[in-house]
Amino acid sequence: MTHIRRDVPRCDPALLRAYEGQAAATVHEAMGRRGALDPAIKPLAADMTVCGRALTVRCHTGDNLMLVKAVSMAGPGDVIVADMGSAVASGPFGEVLAVECMARGVAGLVVSCTVRDSREIIRMGFPVFSAGLCVRGTAKATLGTINHPICIGGEIVRPGDLIVGDADGVVVVPLEEAPDILRLAEERTAKEAAVMDRLRAGESLFDIYGYQRVFDSLHCVEE
């Protein structure tokens, strides 16, 4: 039996736009170092970025039937986040599905396994974050779930959660925490900009942050 939900939480479009300029690492730090997916999940190209609300998919290992269905349901602002089962080496997503995603205005794909047709996907500019590349094909014979919580990259992702990804990795932000995390991320960005100005003026990061106190508390002895 399959389970497909359509009544999922929706993020305020203005909030989503505000997240588009945030770095994944900054958001991760602002969350108290939470939410980062396994670093094995990387963008196909270093300049790819993704920001949107999660449309979650769970597929049977070696089968992409539910992923194809999810693409047919996706629209502007959606990031398809797919748990593809235990086998990493498969190619459930390639150029054909990327073309459909682009036509639908899908914001990107985050997938726990490998993909294929990387040159074509990079050329068309569709953001894909995956565990690598593999040409192996997949079946279309087994049901799964859409818009239910999944686990990918060691993190729980629920439908409607915010997904932010760039060259450094992918982070998931629980929807109910998104406004507070955005404020903290913006504050962190402003603080780091001020610190870097001080570094350019000749100060030391060690001194600015008072790390000598840490050394002293650890009884560091200089010789």
Side-chain angles (χ1 to χ4, degrees):
M1 181 178 180
T2 188
H3 297 276
I4 298 176
R5 288 182 55 199
R6 296 181 183 273
D7 57 333
V8 300
R10 307 298 287 181
C11 175
D12 179 356
L15 179 63
L16 196 57
R17 287 193 298 271
Y19 264 93
E20 289 177 355
Q22 297 298 319
T26 299
V27 174
H28 165 66
E29 293 284 357
M31 288 179 62
R33 301 175 186 171
R34 295 182 290 130
L37 271 57
D38 190 304
I41 298 176
K42 298 180 175 68
L44 290 186
D47 61 348
M48 285 182 172
T49 62
V50 68
C51 180
R53 53 185 173 267
L55 191 166
T56 57
V57 190
R58 183 173 62 82
C59 294
H60 188 274
T61 298
D63 192 297
N64 74 340
L65 178 63
M66 298 306 292
L67 180 58
V68 176
K69 175 63 175 176
V71 171
S72 76
M73 294 171 55
D78 289 332
V79 177
I80 299 173
V81 185
D83 168 15
M84 300 303 298
S86 59
V88 174
S90 63
F93 186 92
E95 181 183 12
V96 174
L97 279 176
V99 167
E100 182 175 355
C101 285
M102 291 282 284
R104 292 180 173 277
V106 177
L109 171 76
V110 178
V111 64
S112 63
C113 67
T114 51
V115 298
R116 57 186 180 181
D117 301 334
S118 58
R119 285 184 298 182
E120 290 78 10
I121 294 171
I122 292 170
R123 188 177 299 123
M124 71 178 74
F126 181 66
V128 171
F129 290 69
S130 73
L133 304 174
C134 183
V135 298
R136 291 176 183 167
T138 51
K140 295 171 178 62
T142 309
L143 296 176
T145 67
I146 295 176
N147 279 330
H148 286 261
I150 62 171
C151 182
I152 177 174
E155 295 290 330
I156 299 297
V157 181
R158 300 169 304 168
D161 284 348
L162 270 61
I163 303 296
V164 179
D166 55 30
D168 291 335
V170 181
V171 63
V172 53
V173 181
L175 180 58
E176 68 276 10
E177 296 184 47
D180 289 337
I181 299 304
L182 175 63
R183 175 181 54 80
L184 292 172
E186 291 175 336
E187 290 174 357
R188 183 180 179 87
T189 297
K191 179 180 179 180
E192 289 185 342
V195 167
M196 287 186 285
D197 284 342
R198 293 175 65 180
L199 295 176
R200 294 184 186 100
E203 292 188 63
S204 163
L205 189 67
F206 187 88
D207 294 331
I208 291 173
Y209 281 101
Y211 288 140
Q212 185 62 49
R213 293 192 303 271
V214 178
F215 271 59
D216 293 342
S217 68
L218 296 174
H219 306 295
C220 177
V221 177
E222 295 187 39
E223 297 180 351

